[in-house]
Amino acid sequence: MADTTGNTAAPQVGETDSGPRKSSWRYIGPGIVVAATGVGAGDLVATLIAGSNFGYTLLWAAIIGCLVKISLAEAAGRWHLSTGRTLFDGWASLGRWTTWFFVVYAVIWGFVYGAAAMSSSALPLQALFPDVMDLEWWAIACGLVGLAFVWFNKYEVFEKVMTVLVGVMFVVTVYLAIRVTPNLPDAFAGLLPVLPDEKDSILNTLGLIGGVGGTITLAAYGYWVNAKGWTNTGWMKVMRLDNRVAYATTGIFVVAMLFVGAELLHSANIAIASGDKGLIQLGDILADEYGTATAKFFLIGFFATSFTSLIGVWHGVSLMFADFVARYRTRRELKGEEVASGARERSWPFRAYLLWLTFPPIVLLFQGQPFRLIILYGVLGAAFLPFLAGTLIWLLNSSRTPREWRNGPVSNVMLAIAGLLFLVLCVKQVWDQPWSEFF
């Protein structure tokens, strides 16, 4: 077989060989990408704060969060492989409302996320090199480097760089978890599903479950599967192993940070800020407890975590946007083989969305984030995962999917749980917005 990406023995575009391939570790790739992209600095801070507030009590919730996301990513990958069509093509078959939702989401979310991702990547760099330049200029530099990297490289190089950065994240988070000397009996006790005895403990627990590892990147997983060269059902077992590796990796990241929160912060009754700046505070605490070298090592891991999310979104969501434009212009079915060929990565819509993620958000770095736009960003972001879970249930239980690959009872239950979970979180997010100040 010819290799379309340089990574796997995938059939050339247009080949129909769909014989099953043995699941093998040597094929792993898209799962590493989705794990790296999905776990951003915000996820690590949320888990860190959960450990700080509740100790090991919510360890079980972090693990369930990984299981929920496995079901969503597996469903997205199964759609791509079983139908040969892309996820956006499936959405378009459900009605024009899906197109409008995606377009509004991609435009507003991308504008605000671009600034957030650049700032998140800049924070550890400024902490490591405080006298070089201001935070805003570090952020612009990160955005431009991400733009150039994704613009000039295809999936093969992108995946390799992401794998290296995931290795850095893995070493740093596991080292920190070992360094703080976790209380293993308490950690095992945290596997029991117990709620903290505090106000809003249910919503806090649901928030931790829902925040583990990715939003729109779960939908992008199917596109990375195709970009790898996997385009038919012969790769189904490989994809499922790859997806499990993705969320096992995610689980290690979040459990390690929960250990750090439980041992370093909870035991000393230290509170940190939410958001990316909480990790800068953690760096200062690590410097006091374990020395400057450990703090700098942590900041390197912080940068790897943030920058993988940046280039992952720059690549994955741009692929999805290019797919949307292709469907809008041609009105024909969109095949995964087109993604596998690399044509999407060279298209003008792909590069136009890259520019949208990079340059307009620079304005927000200097002027602050506009109030109304932030509210819309929060609501649309909260609505995306219920949208994804609901549409996957619809697509994978209908005649659009070959009967052999439709949802079974377990998949339907997991996707329904995911949909209900994210719907509750969406309603809470909408409820909590200051709408009286919006109008």
Side-chain angles (χ1 to χ4, degrees):
M1 287 292 178
D3 189 347
T4 61
T5 66
N7 281 341
T8 61
Q12 290 182 342
V13 174
E15 289 189 23
T16 58
D17 180 9
S18 59
R21 290 164 176 78
K22 292 182 179 179
S23 55
S24 171
W25 293 98
R26 67 191 179 94
Y27 292 135
I28 298 303
I32 296 297
V33 172
V34 77
T37 307
V39 179
D43 296 292
L44 295 186
V45 172
T47 312
L48 191 66
I49 291 175
S52 172
N53 291 339
F54 308 118
Y56 294 102
T57 305
L58 292 181
L59 179 59
W60 63 273
I63 293 173
I64 287 179
C66 293
L67 296 177
V68 167
K69 300 295 177 64
I70 283 175
S71 65
L72 283 166
E74 188 276 339
R78 178 155 43 94
W79 166 265
H80 277 251
L81 295 182
S82 66
T83 65
R85 298 162 62 189
T86 63
L87 183 56
F88 188 85
D89 193 60
W91 285 341
S93 73
L94 300 178
R96 296 183 66 182
W97 66 275
T98 59
T99 299
W100 286 110
F101 176 83
F102 177 78
V103 171
V104 174
Y105 177 83
V107 171
I108 295 178
W109 182 88
F111 181 49
V112 180
Y113 181 83
M118 288 188 277
S119 294
S120 180
S121 298
L123 278 168
L125 291 177
Q126 190 189 39
L128 285 166
F129 310 103
D131 300 322
V132 175
M133 53 186 169
D134 292 337
L135 180 67
E136 292 83 3
W137 295 106
W138 275 118
I140 292 171
C142 290
L144 293 177
V145 169
L147 170 69
F149 172 73
V150 175
W151 188 292
F152 292 109
N153 290 293
K154 292 186 180 180
Y155 176 81
E156 175 190 0
V157 177
F158 166 71
E159 182 189 283
K160 288 179 179 177
V161 170
M162 292 288 272
T163 301
V164 171
L165 292 173
V166 165
V168 174
M169 293 167 59
F170 184 89
V171 170
V172 171
T173 54
V174 171
Y175 167 77
L176 289 178
I178 295 172
R179 192 78 172 82
V180 300
T181 316
N183 186 319
L184 294 182
D186 284 354
F188 282 115
L191 296 175
L192 296 174
V194 176
L195 291 174
D197 187 19
E198 294 190 16
K199 182 182 178 182
D200 294 332
S201 62
I202 293 179
L203 288 175
N204 289 332
T205 303
L206 293 178
L208 178 61
I209 294 172
V212 176
T215 51
I216 196 171
T217 55
L218 292 164
Y221 178 64
Y223 288 85
W224 286 322
V225 163
N226 286 160
K228 180 77 169 176
W230 308 345
T231 58
N232 55 51
T233 55
W235 294 100
M236 196 69 77
K237 286 185 178 179
V238 176
M239 181 275 292
R240 283 171 167 161
L241 173 64
D242 179 76
N243 180 44
R244 289 169 189 145
V245 168
Y247 282 94
T249 305
T250 300
I252 291 171
F253 292 152
V254 298
V255 168
M257 292 308 288
L258 191 138
F259 281 8
V260 173
E263 292 296 337
L264 189 62
L265 305 180
H266 181 69
S267 58
N269 198 26
I270 299 172
I272 62 171
S274 60
D276 300 340
K277 291 184 179 178
L279 292 184
I280 296 295
Q281 287 182 267
L282 178 61
D284 295 336
I285 295 167
L286 288 169
D288 292 338
E289 290 286 332
Y290 304 113
T292 303
T294 297
K296 289 187 180 298
F297 188 52
F298 164 73
L299 289 172
I300 292 170
F302 177 7
F303 173 74
T305 300
S306 297
F307 196 66
T308 51
S309 293
L310 186 151
I311 59 175
V313 166
W314 264 230
H315 187 275
V317 184
S318 296
L319 272 181
M320 296 179 69
F321 186 80
D323 204 46
F324 149 70
V325 174
R327 183 67 165 75
Y328 182 79
R329 293 176 66 193
T330 64
R331 305 290 181 180
R332 62 178 175 79
E333 283 192 358
L334 302 176
K335 301 292 187 180
E337 291 174 346
E338 297 172 55
V339 180
S341 72
R344 288 279 186 271
E345 294 166 280
R346 297 188 297 271
S347 67
W348 70 261
F350 179 90
R351 290 176 170 173
Y353 194 74
L354 271 179
L355 296 174
W356 174 253
L357 283 168
T358 307
F359 288 104
I362 289 175
V363 176
L364 302 184
L365 296 175
F366 291 96
Q367 296 186 356
Q369 298 180 351
F371 175 72
R372 289 181 176 83
L373 196 60
I374 296 303
I375 290 180
L376 293 176
Y377 167 80
V379 171
L380 286 170
F384 184 81
L385 283 176
F387 167 80
L388 177 62
T391 53
L392 284 172
I393 290 174
W394 191 346
L395 290 169
L396 292 168
N397 284 288
S398 72
S399 59
R400 297 173 179 84
T401 304
R403 184 174 297 278
E404 179 184 359
W405 302 108
R406 292 178 195 170
N407 278 356
V410 174
S411 294
N412 276 326
V413 168
M414 290 299 292
L415 288 176
I417 291 172
L420 289 172
L421 164 67
F422 296 125
L423 184 60
V424 170
L425 294 174
C426 178
V427 170
K428 181 179 185 297
Q429 179 80 355
V430 173
W431 182 265
D432 288 344
Q433 297 298 334
W435 293 107
S436 60
E437 301 174 32
F438 182 87
F439 298 102

